[in-house]
Amino acid sequence: MILCSDVKILIFVAMNENLEKSSILILISLGIILVLSRILPHVPNFTASIAVILFAATILRNGWSFGILILCYWLSDLVINNWIYPASDFMWFTNGFYWIVIPYLIVFLAAKVYNRNHFSPLRILSSSFLTSLLFFVVSNFGVWISSVVTYSKDLNGLLLCYWNAIPFFSYELAGTVFYSSIIFGIYWLFESRFQVHEQRV
């Protein structure tokens, strides 16, 4: 019985000492989810992109995790632009790629502040909606400002741009809620089991 308790204590200590390794494994898992959700067949915009950034901002809370996820996003772009939907020339960056990175950075920072003190299921649900809305507003502003012919550079053109993007927003929001529920749900499940293990030790 004493030996068993000692083993449990050693496991608990090892788990605490390997928090950095755990963060790396979590980040790798988030990157894989992000890439697969984009390259596998799916409804337009129904991906894990915002969900993984929301999780990284809430749980990991460091800048390099955001950088790694953007790198994964770029790698999936390479696959999409050059193998799934190949262009005549090899494409390193999607046109207006910075108008994708900027909204995601704003989403990351906003989620980090919004979920700073707690992140209950209701909080994550509201975060999913708010971050999706934030991405919608900023990214489509980028579409409008970068447009040469499609949208006029006035209020009517801007409103038309947002109007045309509403169907994509609904898919984006659905994808964010779906993947956030899965990712945070798994995290809470493991967290609760860890707490039970800690109490038993």
Side-chain angles (χ1 to χ4, degrees), residues 8 12 15 20 37-38 44 84 87 96 102 106 109 114 120 129 146 148 154 162 165 182 196:
K8 288 181 179 179
F12 175 71
M15 289 179 71
E20 186 174 347
S37 74
R38 297 195 69 224
I84 298 178
I102 292 172
I106 294 174
L109 295 175
Y114 185 71
S120 63
F129 175 78
S146 303
V148 178
D154 55 21
Y162 283 125
I182 292 176
V196 170

Side-chain angles (χ1 to χ4, degrees), residues 15-173:
M15 289 179 71
N16 280 278
E17 289 178 347
N18 290 324
L19 283 178
E20 186 174 347
K21 282 187 178 180
S22 298
S23 296
I24 293 173
L25 290 175
I26 290 173
L27 190 54
I28 291 173
S29 300
L30 293 177
I32 292 173
I33 293 170
L34 169 59
V35 171
L36 290 179
S37 74
R38 297 195 69 224
I39 65 176
L40 293 178
H42 61 278
V43 176
N45 285 38
F46 191 95
T47 71
S49 301
I50 294 178
V52 296
I53 290 175
L54 174 59
F55 185 90
T58 303
I59 305 300
L60 302 180
R61 304 187 61 80
N62 51 61
W64 62 270
S65 64
F66 173 78
I68 295 297
L69 291 177
I70 290 299
L71 176 62
C72 292
Y73 189 97
W74 174 69
L75 291 174
S76 63
D77 258 6
L78 285 182
V79 175
I80 293 169
N81 293 332
N82 298 292
W83 284 279
I84 298 178
Y85 302 110
S88 55
D89 298 321
F90 192 88
M91 185 182 295
W92 286 101
F93 290 96
T94 301
N95 293 330
F97 184 73
Y98 49 88
W99 279 113
I100 298 173
V101 176
I102 292 172
Y104 281 139
L105 177 59
I106 294 174
V107 163
F108 179 83
L109 295 175
K112 191 173 180 180
V113 172
Y114 185 71
N115 296 325
R116 178 173 49 198
N117 296 323
H118 64 281
F119 47 95
S120 63
L122 184 59
R123 191 81 169 182
I124 296 306
L125 182 62
S126 63
S127 296
S128 298
F129 175 78
L130 292 173
T131 52
S132 294
L133 181 62
L134 189 57
F135 181 83
F136 170 81
V137 171
V138 179
S139 63
N140 283 289
F141 178 82
V143 171
W144 171 73
I145 204 71
S146 303
S147 173
V148 178
V149 178
T150 309
Y151 300 109
S152 59
K153 293 299 185 288
D154 55 21
L155 181 59
N156 289 333
L158 178 60
L159 293 177
L160 180 61
C161 180
Y162 283 125
W163 176 262
N164 289 338
I166 288 176
F168 298 100
F169 169 69
S170 62
Y171 297 140
E172 182 77 61
L173 176 59

